[in-house]
C-alpha cells in the first residue's frame, strides 16, 4: 500500500477522535426566540445518512409500494443502481457501474459471498423477506466490513415487531399474486408473535411461472421463475440481554440456458442454486453510554449445481460451492458530540469447484481467512460540522488450489465531513483508502481449467480509493442531493486464468443527482446518474465483469393517496440514454439502445377490511423491447446476445394480515 495516501486520512481520524474527547463537556446555546430548522446531518443515531452522500435507501414504504418480484424492481427508483435483465438468478447488480461483488454486502449483518461465476447473479436475495436496503456508494465506514471496495450494501429482513400492530402479541400474513407474461403464481405465508421474553417470526415464499416474452414478442428461454425460500427468527430477552437465532434458505431450481445472462438459445438444462445462512446475535436491551454491544456468529453456504449439462464441453457439467464461518464483536459508546464504534471481525471462507472430470483436474479448492479490527467515530459538532471517520487493520491469508499460501496485512482509512453553510443547505466531502486483501475474483471460472492453472508468484492484495464531493438541501417537504464521485479499484483478480494475477485499474467517475418532494398525501422523486467507466484508462464496452458502462440513467416516480376511495396509485419511469462510440465499435459491439420504461400500480384497502390489501401492477406498460443497463450488449463477433427484459406484465395480488 502507498503509505503517503494513507497517512493524511489517518491523521484526520486521529484529530477527530481527539477533538471529540475535548468537546465532551461542551453545551449548546441559542438565542431566545430563534427559529431553528431541522438540521441536515450526515450522521444520526450513530449511523451515516446514506442518501446524503449519494447512496440509496429503499425503505419499508418503498418496498410496500413497489411490491418487487426481483432486485430489478427493488431498485427501480434509484438511478445509482442498475440491474441486468433475465431470471432472478442471472441478475447482476451494479452501483455506479461497478459490480456488487466489489461492495461489502451483508444480510442482517452477515457478510455475503462475492460473485461466483460471471453468468450468474451476485448475492441475489428474495425481496419478499426485506424490510429495508441501504447502499452506501463510495467511501464506506470501517464497521461496514472487510473489503468494502466501492461501498457497502446492507439488506435488513423482516421480524415479528415489524409486523405486529399495537396491542397484538401474535399475528400472521398471507400473500398471493398472479401475473401474466410468465410471471405465474407467487405466494408467501408468515406467522409471528411475542410471549413474555420470547419472540418468533417464520415466513415461507414460493414463485412458479413460465418463460416470459420480451416487448418484441420473442420468448426468453430459461427465464421462468422457480424460487422457494424460508426465513425463521427466534428471539429471547432476559434482564438486559437479547439473543436471536436466525436461519434463511433460498433455492432456484429450473431449466436454464448455459449462459443465463447472455444466451437466447433454445437449449435449456437443469440448474439448481441454493443459499443457506444460520446466525446467532447478541445485543443489549438496555444500552448505556459506554456499553452498547453487539456480537454475531454465522455459518453460510452458497451452492451452484448443473450436472448433465452440455456433453463434450469443459464449460458443461460442474458444481461449485462456497462455505463461510465468521463473526463480529463490537461495542458503541458515547464520546463528546458523538459515538465511537470499536470491534473485531473474522471470516474463514472455503471454495470448492467440481467439474465432474471434464479436465485433468476434477476438483479445485481455495480458501481465505480474514481477521480485522476497526474503529469508527461519528460526530455532530456545535459549529455545524458533522464528521464520520475511522480505520481498520486486516490480516488476510489466501491458499490456492495448488496449496500455494500467501498472507499479508493492510490498513484502511475513511473520512466524510459536512458543513451546514446556511439553514437547510449542507456541503460535504469524503474519501477512503481501502485494503482489500487477495481478491479471488469469480472462482467459478476454475471449472474449465486444468492442471496448468496457477497463481502468479507476484500476486498482491488489491486496493480501492474513493472520493466524494457534494451538496444537500432540506427545506421541510423537499430534499435534494448532488454528489460527484470517483472510485478506483486497483489489483483486482484477473479471473480469466490460466494465471491468477492482478488486473489493471477499474475506475468509475461521474455525478448523481436526486430529489424528493412530499405534499402529505403523496410524494414525487427523481434521480439521474451519469458515469464514465474505464479499465486501464480506456472506456469499457458492455461486456459484463467487474464493471460495465451505464452512460446516463434516470428514474422518476410518484405516489398518491386517494383517501376517499382507500386507494393509492403510483408510477415509475426508468430511462437510459444510447451508448455509442469507438469504445463500443472497436470491441465488436453494437450501439446500446436507449429506453424509457413505464411501470404503474394501484393499491386498494377495503374500508371494512383494513387488514386486506389488493394490488394491481403493470410493469412495462407500453410493452417496450429493451435490455436493462448493465446487461451485455450485442456482439456478433463473440456470439453475445443481449438478454431482453420482460414485455408488458400485469400482476394482481392480495395481502391479508390476521
Amino acid at each position: 500500500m502507498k503509505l503517503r495516501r494513507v497517512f493524511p486520512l489517518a491523521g484526520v481520524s486521529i484529530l477527530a477522535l481527539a477533538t471529540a474527547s475535548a468537546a465532551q463537556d461542551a453545551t449548546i446555546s441559542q438565542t431566545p426566540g430563534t427559529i431553528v430548522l431541522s438540521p441536515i446531518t450526515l450522521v444520526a443515531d450513530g449511523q451515516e445518512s446514506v442518501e446524503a452522500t449519494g447512496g440509496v435507501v429503499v425503505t419499508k414504504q418503498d418496498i410496500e409500494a413497489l411490491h418487487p418480484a426481483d432486485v430489478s424492481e427493488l431498485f427501480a427508483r434509484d438511478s445509482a443502481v442498475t440491474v441486468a435483465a433475465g431470471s432472478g438468478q442471472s441478475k447482476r447488480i451494479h452501483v455506479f457501474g461497478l459490480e456488487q461483488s466489489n461492495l461489502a454486502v451483508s444480510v442482517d449483518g452477515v457478510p455475503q459471498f462475492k460473485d461466483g461465476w460471471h453468468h450468474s447473479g451476485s448475492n441475489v436475495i428474495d425481496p419478499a423477506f426485506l424490510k429495508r436496503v441501504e447502499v452506501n456508494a463510495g467511501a464506506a465506514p470501517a464497521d461496514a466490513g472487510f473489503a468494502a471496495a466501492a461501498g457497502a450494501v446492507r439488506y435488513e429482513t423482516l421480524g415479528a415487531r415489524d409486523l405486529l400492530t399495537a396491542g397484538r402479541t401474535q399475528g400472521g400474513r398471507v400473500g398471493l399474486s398472479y401475473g401474466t407474461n410468465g410471471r405465474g403464481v407467487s405466494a408467501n405465508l408468515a406467522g409471528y408473535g411475542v410471549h413474555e421474553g420470547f419472540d418468533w417470526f417464520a415466513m415461507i415464499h414460493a414463485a412458479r411461472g413460465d418463460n416470459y416474452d420480451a416487448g418484441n414478442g420473442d420468448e426468453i428461454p430459461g427465464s421462468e421463475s422457480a424460487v422457494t425460500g424460508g426465513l425463521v427468527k427466534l428471539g429471547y430477552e432476559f434482564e438486559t440481554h437479547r439473543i436471536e437465532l436466525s436461519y434463511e434458505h433460498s433455492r432456484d431450481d429450473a431449466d436454464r440456458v448455459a449462459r443465463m445472462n447472455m444466451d437466447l438459445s433454445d437449449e435449456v438444462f437443469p440448474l439448481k442454486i441454493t443459499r443457506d445462512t444460520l446466525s446467532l446475535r447478541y445485543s443489549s436491551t438496555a444500552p448505556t453510554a459506554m456499553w452498547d454491544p453487539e456480537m454475531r456468529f454465522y455459518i453460510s453456504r452458497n451452492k451452484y449445481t448443473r450436472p448433465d449439462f452440455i456433453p463434450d464441453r469443459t464449460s458443461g457439467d460442474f458444481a461449485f460451492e462456497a462455505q463461510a464461518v465468521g463473526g463480529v464483536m463490537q461495542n458503541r459508546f458515547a464520546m463528546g458530540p458523538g459515538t465511537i464504534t470499536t470491534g473485531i471481525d473474522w471470516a474463514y471462507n472455503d471454495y470448492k469447484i467440481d467439474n465432474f472430470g471434464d479436465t485433468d483436474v476434477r476438483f479445485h479448492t481455495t480458501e481465505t481467512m480474514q481477521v480485522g479490527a476497526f474503529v469508527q467515530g461519528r460526530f455532530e459538532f456545535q459549529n455545524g460540522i458533522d464528521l464520520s471517520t475511522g480505520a481498520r487493520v486486516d490480516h488476510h491469508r489466501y491458499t490456492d488450489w495448488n496449496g500455494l499460501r500467501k498472507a499479508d496485512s493492510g490498513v484502511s482509512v475513511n473520512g466524510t465531513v459536512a458543513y451546514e453553510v446556511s439553514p437547510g443547505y449542507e456541503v460535504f466531502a469524503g474519501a477512503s483508502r481501502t485494503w482489500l486483501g487477495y481478491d479471488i475474483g469469480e472462482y467459478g471460472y476454475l471449472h474449465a481449467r486444468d492442471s496448468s492453472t496457477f497463481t502468479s508468484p507476484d500476486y498482491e492484495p488489491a486496493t480501492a480509493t474513493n472520493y466524494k464531493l457534494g451538496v444537500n438541501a432540506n427545506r421541510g417537504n423537499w430534499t435534494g442531493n448532488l454528489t460527484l464521485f470517483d472510485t478506483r479499484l486497483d489489483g483486482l483478480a484477473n479471473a480469466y486464468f490460466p494465471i491468477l494475477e492482478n488486473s489493471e485499474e477499474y475506475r468509475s467517475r461521474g455525478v448523481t443527482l436526486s430529489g424528493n418532494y412530499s405534499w402529505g398525501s403523496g410524494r414525487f422523486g427523481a434521480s439521474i446518474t451519469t458515469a464514465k467507466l474505464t479499465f486501464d484508462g480506456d472506456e469499457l464496452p458492455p461486456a459484463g465483469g467487474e464493471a460495465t458502462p451505464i452512460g446516463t440513467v434516470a428514474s422518476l416516480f410518484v405516489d398518491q393517496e386517494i383517501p376517499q376511495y382507500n386507494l393509492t396509485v403510483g408510477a415509475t419511469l426508468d430511462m437510459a440514454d444510447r451508448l455509442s462510440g469507438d469504445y463500443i465499435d472497436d470491441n465488436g459491439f453494437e450501439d446500446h439502445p436507449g429506453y424509457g420504461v413505464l411501470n404503474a400500480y394501484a393499491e386498494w384497502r377495503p374500508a371494512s377490511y383494513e387488514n386486506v390489501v389488493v394490488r394491481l401492477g403493470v410493469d412495462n406498460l407500453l410493452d417496450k423491447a429493451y435490455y436493462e443497463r448493465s446487461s451485455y450488449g450485442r456482439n456478433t463477433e463473440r456470439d453475445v446476445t443481449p438478454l431482453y427484459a420482460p414485455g408488458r406484465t400485469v400482476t394482481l395480488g392480495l395481502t391479508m394480515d390476521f
Side-chain angles (χ1 to χ4, degrees):
M1 174 179 291
K2 297 180 180 179
L3 295 180
R4 68 176 183 273
R5 297 183 180 179
V6 174
F7 285 149
L9 281 175
V12 171
S13 298
I14 296 171
L15 179 62
L17 296 179
T19 304
S21 180
Q24 188 160 355
D25 298 325
T27 59
I28 299 175
S29 61
Q30 297 175 352
T31 303
T34 300
I35 298 175
V36 181
L37 295 176
S38 299
I40 305 172
T41 55
L42 284 174
V43 293
D45 298 324
Q47 294 296 326
E48 279 80 8
S49 175
V50 175
E51 291 175 302
T53 55
V56 170
V57 174
V58 185
T59 66
K60 184 179 179 182
Q61 180 185 10
D62 294 327
I63 293 173
E64 290 176 347
L66 292 168
H67 199 71
D70 52 40
V71 289
S72 286
E73 297 179 9
L74 178 67
F75 293 112
R77 293 183 168 184
D78 301 289
S79 62
V81 182
T82 56
V83 186
S87 65
Q89 293 298 331
S90 69
K91 293 182 176 295
R92 293 171 66 89
I93 299 170
H94 290 73
V95 179
F96 294 157
L98 298 173
E99 214 278 333
Q100 184 179 313
S101 59
N102 294 306
L103 292 87
V105 181
S106 63
V107 178
D108 290 336
V110 177
Q112 302 298 292
F113 292 103
K114 289 173 65 68
D115 185 34
W117 193 49
H118 62 303
H119 293 308
S120 63
S122 58
N123 307 305
V124 177
I125 185 169
D126 193 335
F129 300 142
L130 291 178
K131 178 177 72 174
R132 181 181 174 88
V133 185
E134 293 184 358
V135 181
N136 197 316
D143 53 3
F146 173 62
V153 180
R154 293 179 287 271
Y155 295 99
E156 186 177 353
T157 62
L158 290 165
R161 289 180 171 81
D162 301 315
L163 297 177
L164 280 174
T165 56
R168 296 287 303 274
T169 59
Q170 59 183 347
R173 169 174 289 185
V174 59
L176 181 66
S177 70
Y178 175 78
T180 64
N181 193 22
R183 176 157 293 184
V185 178
S186 176
N188 60 72
L189 178 65
Y192 42 85
V194 296
H195 178 69
E196 296 180 347
F198 292 92
D199 60 85
W200 65 91
F201 174 87
M203 182 177 186
I204 56 174
H205 174 252
R208 293 292 184 272
D210 299 316
N211 294 334
Y212 67 75
D213 292 338
N216 57 10
D218 291 344
E219 180 179 341
I220 306 301
S223 62
E224 65 183 271
S225 57
V227 177
T228 303
L231 175 66
V232 178
K233 293 183 178 181
L234 303 175
Y236 178 58
E237 297 180 5
F238 59 100
E239 297 178 349
T240 61
H241 312 288
R242 174 175 174 81
I243 296 176
E244 182 179 276
L245 181 67
S246 176
Y247 173 68
E248 189 252 337
H249 169 79
S250 68
R251 183 180 69 187
D252 185 282
D253 191 356
D255 289 342
R256 306 294 185 196
V257 292
R259 302 174 298 179
M260 290 187 294
N261 59 351
M262 56 175 284
D263 190 351
L264 292 182
S265 67
D266 293 329
E267 284 191 289
V268 293
F269 309 91
L271 177 63
K272 182 178 180 180
I273 302 175
T274 60
R275 186 180 76 247
D276 295 272
T277 301
L278 178 68
S279 66
L280 180 66
R281 177 179 179 266
Y282 166 81
S283 59
S284 174
T285 58
T288 65
M290 301 302 291
W291 182 244
D292 185 6
E294 179 178 349
M295 291 183 286
R296 187 183 297 274
F297 304 95
Y298 63 86
I299 301 173
S300 60
R301 184 184 71 170
N302 286 8
K303 192 171 183 180
Y304 184 110
T305 306
R306 59 175 213 181
D308 302 325
F309 221 81
I310 306 174
D312 304 320
R313 179 175 171 180
T314 56
S315 61
D317 304 347
F318 70 85
F320 59 83
E321 66 178 87
Q323 299 185 71
V325 179
V328 59
M329 294 180 286
Q330 66 179 45
N331 181 57
R332 186 175 71 185
F333 54 93
M335 175 174 284
T339 64
I340 295 178
T341 302
T342 62
I344 59 174
D345 54 22
W346 63 277
Y348 170 78
N349 297 283
D350 177 75
Y351 306 89
K352 182 179 179 181
I353 300 94
D354 180 358
N355 63 16
F356 301 106
D358 285 339
T359 71
D360 63 345
V361 177
R362 175 170 178 175
F363 298 102
H364 287 94
T365 58
T366 303
E367 64 179 42
T368 62
M369 178 70 187
Q370 169 265 328
V371 179
F374 57 85
V375 57
Q376 185 74 24
R378 299 171 171 94
F379 310 104
E380 301 175 34
F381 296 100
Q382 299 174 18
N383 57 5
I385 293 177
D386 304 325
L387 176 66
S388 174
T389 185
R392 59 179 296 132
V393 179
D394 289 286
H395 178 77
H396 198 233
R397 187 187 71 199
Y398 159 67
T399 305
D400 79 353
W401 50 94
N402 293 320
L404 174 68
R405 175 170 293 184
K406 300 176 77 69
D408 203 348
S409 300
V411 178
S412 304
V413 291
N414 72 86
T416 300
V417 61
Y419 178 67
E420 191 166 18
V421 294
S422 65
Y425 296 94
E426 173 188 73
V427 294
F428 68 89
S432 67
R433 177 72 171 173
T434 308
W435 188 83
L436 308 177
Y438 296 98
D439 179 37
I440 66 170
E442 297 171 338
Y443 64 92
Y445 270 114
L446 286 167
H447 77 275
R449 306 304 180 226
D450 58 23
S451 57
S452 66
T453 307
F454 66 98
T455 300
S456 170
D458 300 325
Y459 194 55
E460 297 180 346
T463 59
T465 306
N466 288 279
Y467 299 101
K468 291 194 292 188
L469 180 67
V471 60
N472 296 309
N474 186 339
R475 302 299 297 176
N477 58 348
W478 71 269
T479 62
N481 166 266
L482 173 69
T483 300
L484 284 76
F485 58 87
D486 189 347
T487 296
R488 305 183 185 194
L489 311 178
D490 189 36
L492 296 181
N494 181 356
Y496 286 96
F497 297 119
I499 305 174
L500 179 62
E501 56 188 354
N502 298 109
S503 70
E504 302 299 329
E505 178 191 85
Y506 288 94
R507 185 179 184 184
S508 173
R509 60 189 188 276
V511 60
T512 183
L513 172 67
S514 64
N516 290 275
Y517 178 76
S518 173
W519 55 88
S521 63
R523 57 177 180 158
F524 169 80
S527 68
I528 182 171
T529 300
T530 182
K532 181 178 181 180
L533 278 297
T534 59
F535 175 71
D536 196 22
D538 297 326
E539 287 191 77
L540 278 166
E546 299 286 354
T548 190
I550 62 172
T552 300
V553 290
S555 178
L556 307 175
F557 73 86
V558 62
D559 297 310
Q560 176 63 57
E561 296 178 5
I562 308 176
Q564 60 269 38
Y565 298 111
N566 301 310
L567 190 67
T568 302
V569 296
T572 302
L573 176 63
D574 291 325
M575 297 172 287
D577 69 339
R578 187 179 189 87
L579 295 183
S580 61
D582 292 342
Y583 72 101
I584 301 286
D585 301 335
D586 293 347
N587 288 279
F589 286 91
E590 297 180 0
D591 288 357
H592 213 316
Y595 57 84
V597 179
L598 179 63
N599 307 314
Y601 78 92
E603 190 174 274
W604 177 54
R605 294 178 179 268
S608 302
Y609 302 93
E610 294 183 359
N611 61 327
V612 174
V613 178
V614 180
R615 188 181 191 279
L616 177 66
V618 184
D619 297 326
N620 195 355
L621 179 65
L622 303 179
D623 206 20
K624 293 284 188 177
Y626 75 104
Y627 45 98
E628 297 165 288
R629 201 49 48 91
S630 76
S631 298
Y632 274 91
R634 185 183 302 280
N635 189 316
T636 55
E637 295 179 4
R638 295 175 47 207
D639 189 28
V640 175
T641 306
L643 197 59
Y644 281 82
R648 184 185 299 113
T649 304
V650 181
T651 305
L652 179 64
L654 171 71
T655 301
M656 182 175 65
D657 295 313
F658 54 89

